[in-house]
Amino acid sequence: MSKTFKTNKGTELPLLNLKGKDYLQVAHRLVWFREDHPDWSIETEFRELGVDFAIAKATIKDAVGRIITTSHKAENSKGFPDFMEKAETGSIGRAL
């Protein structure tokens, strides 16, 4: 039987076992975030972008635009061919 995380609204989100620890994928963290804070925003930008690397920044703001948290994530083409997407998704996941 797979483990799940239940949001305050009752949505059950699947947890993965990642190196012996429960892990909620970024896509599911976004579901949880949107349920709890439908009027908050997530903004992303690339702080550095090269032909084979990217550093992305994610900023979460509340309903009045106050910054709640920021996070960064770096990736390169050696680790992931889609390094830009991976860096952006990683920065969002860390911010959440």
Side-chain angles (χ1 to χ4, degrees), residues 2-63:
S2 298
K3 285 186 171 183
T4 60
F5 171 82
K6 189 179 253 185
T7 68
N8 290 332
K9 292 193 175 190
T11 304
E12 288 196 35
L13 303 171
L15 290 169
L16 298 178
N17 183 318
L18 191 64
K19 298 179 183 178
K21 295 183 180 180
D22 291 338
Y23 178 80
L24 186 62
Q25 292 176 295
V26 175
H28 297 123
R29 282 182 252 169
L30 285 167
V31 171
W32 179 21
F33 172 74
R34 288 291 172 217
E35 283 187 8
D36 282 1
H37 304 289
D39 54 350
W40 287 23
S41 67
I42 300 173
E43 298 173 5
T44 62
E45 65 179 283
F46 287 99
R47 301 295 288 185
E48 291 188 41
L49 187 57
V51 294
D52 62 351
F53 76 96
I55 300 174
K57 176 184 176 183
T59 302
I60 296 177
K61 295 181 179 181
D62 68 10

Side-chain angles (χ1 to χ4, degrees), residues 66-83:
R66 183 180 53 161
I67 294 174
I68 301 301
T69 187
T70 61
S71 184
H72 294 80
K73 178 74 167 123
E75 290 293 350
N76 63 51
S77 62
K78 290 178 188 172
F80 298 95
D82 58 345
F83 60 91

